[in-house]
Amino acid sequence: MKDIKVFAPASVSNVGPGFDIMGFAINEPGDEIVLRKRSDKNIVITKITGDNNLLPLDPALNTTSVAVAAVLKDCGIETGLNIEIRKKMGIGSGLGSSAASAVGGVYAVNELLELGLSKDELLKPAMTGEYAASKAMHADNVAPALYGGFILVRSYDPIDIIKLPVPGTLYCSILYPGIEIRTCDARRILPRSVKMKTAVSQAGNSASFVTALLTKDYKLMSRSIVDSLAEPFRSRLIPGYDEIREAALAVGAINCNITGSGPSMFALSRSKSKADEISKAMLKASSKFTKKNKSYVSGINKKGPRII
């Protein structure tokens, strides 16, 4: 092949109590990455669309190109590539925008050059690309986008990814208010230390949420989506957060919380029809506070990136 086009999905991270350790992939939105071979050894970003001119064209600074370069370095390969990035989601949306671009890059170069690398081997280069954007080496967006499904990051040193079972009837409604919250800024407002009581509560809810997935216990899932670490601080950055959450719960959401650093919010439900109803309720509630709102309804994306 001389070129390849790849889709990499958005993802919901943290998922309530799972700060930096939980996430799942969704079917839409996502990013498209196009790679084309060059006759020289340069990596060049030829075009970026959908970013409102916010993303760097410098390959040393861009999430996708940094991730691609990391794969080539690991394999000891010098080759030239043109990279085109087609952003299909908001930057700073809390939906893993930079993670999707990084994952799309590593998946595309692996397929284009027929490197035969496993997803486990692509994870660290993708995380390196994510670091270029967020300045944090976390995997709760990268891993779901790469592996698909629902993941748990058991450890970062060494990295240990666990795929969790996903109930087939689980759906997600996403509200994106159309404002930007940079991950690095959202991390900066968090406290540097927490009380023992808070840590114990967070651990308990994380464990019970995993149990709920394993047992398909939706009532337990509802009780477990509680974030004592980030939500009390990050919810202040989201206009109308409490009203939007209450609107989702009023029409039957299992629970509703912030995805990633925000400003997007997610609500889980047990059917596509209920997810559609919740999405409409969240959109209506948010319209009082922000005007560029978008919504998405999706099952859990179990495949991750794909060639298109």
Side-chain angles (χ1 to χ4, degrees):
M1 292 187 293
K2 294 183 179 180
D3 56 63
I4 193 170
K5 181 165 68 172
V6 163
F7 170 86
S11 51
V12 171
S13 61
N14 296 346
V15 199
F19 182 78
D20 276 3
I21 63 169
M22 289 188 195
F24 61 86
I26 54 179
N27 293 321
E28 63 169 332
D31 284 350
E32 293 178 4
I33 305 297
V34 180
L35 295 191
R36 296 182 176 90
K37 292 180 180 178
R38 291 173 58 94
S39 58
D40 57 25
K41 295 181 180 180
N42 297 322
I43 295 178
V44 178
I45 300 175
T46 58
K47 188 177 183 181
I48 305 176
T49 58
D51 70 325
N52 294 320
N53 297 315
L54 294 174
L55 297 181
L57 288 166
D58 184 343
L61 301 176
N62 187 281
T63 296
T64 306
S65 49
V66 168
V68 168
V71 172
L72 297 179
K73 181 179 179 181
D74 287 349
C75 294
I77 295 174
E78 290 187 23
T79 189
L81 294 168
N82 285 337
I83 301 176
E84 182 180 342
I85 303 165
R86 301 172 183 174
K87 298 298 295 181
K88 303 292 185 176
M89 69 178 94
I91 297 168
S93 61
L95 294 173
S97 173
S98 56
S101 292
V103 166
V106 300
Y107 187 82
V109 72
N110 185 47
E111 296 294 324
L112 178 65
L113 302 183
E114 299 180 334
L115 301 177
L117 300 176
S118 68
K119 288 189 175 182
D120 289 344
E121 292 171 308
L122 293 176
L123 178 61
K124 187 175 179 180
M127 290 174 63
T128 301
E130 164 82 332
Y131 182 85
S134 66
K135 306 308 177 187
M137 203 72 169
H138 53 85
D140 53 336
N141 283 114
V142 167
L146 179 61
Y147 292 90
F150 206 114
I151 63 93
L152 169 69
V153 185
R154 188 202 67 80
S155 168
Y156 277 92
D157 188 17
I159 190 71
D160 188 2
I161 302 297
I162 299 170
K163 290 199 71 173
L164 299 172
V166 180
T169 57
L170 197 62
Y171 282 81
C172 181
S173 305
I174 300 284
L175 174 78
Y176 170 44
I179 62 174
E180 177 186 355
I181 296 178
R182 297 196 306 166
T183 300
C184 55
D185 293 336
R187 296 184 82 87
R188 195 175 294 121
I189 67 171
L190 299 180
R192 293 183 177 273
S193 62
V194 297
K195 295 179 179 178
M196 180 67 74
K197 181 179 179 181
T198 301
V200 170
S201 173
Q202 197 82 354
N205 281 312
S206 296
S208 62
F209 185 83
V210 172
T211 301
L213 287 175
L214 292 168
T215 60
K216 301 180 182 179
D217 187 334
Y218 296 102
K219 290 183 179 180
L220 177 60
M221 187 180 295
S222 177
R223 300 199 304 274
S224 302
I225 301 178
V226 179
D227 177 14
S228 302
L229 291 183
E231 184 188 41
F233 302 93
R234 290 177 171 173
S235 61
R236 303 169 190 169
L237 304 176
I238 303 172
Y241 174 81
D242 290 333
E243 290 84 351
I244 297 166
R245 182 172 182 272
E246 288 169 5
L249 295 176
V251 293
I254 292 172
N255 210 325
C256 178
N257 210 292
I258 304 170
T259 169
S261 302
S264 291
M265 298 170 63
F266 77 96
L268 295 178
S269 56
R270 296 183 59 180
S271 70
K272 174 68 164 54
S273 59
K274 179 57 68 175
D276 287 334
E277 184 182 358
I278 292 167
S279 177
K280 291 176 183 177
M282 294 173 75
L283 267 176
K284 182 178 180 180
S286 67
S287 66
K288 303 174 185 176
F289 304 95
T290 49
K291 300 303 179 186
K292 296 182 179 180
N293 309 312
K294 293 182 180 180
S295 65
Y296 307 94
V297 172
S298 173
I300 309 302
N301 180 335
K302 298 180 181 180
K303 294 183 179 180
R306 67 180 190 273
I307 298 172
I308 54 176

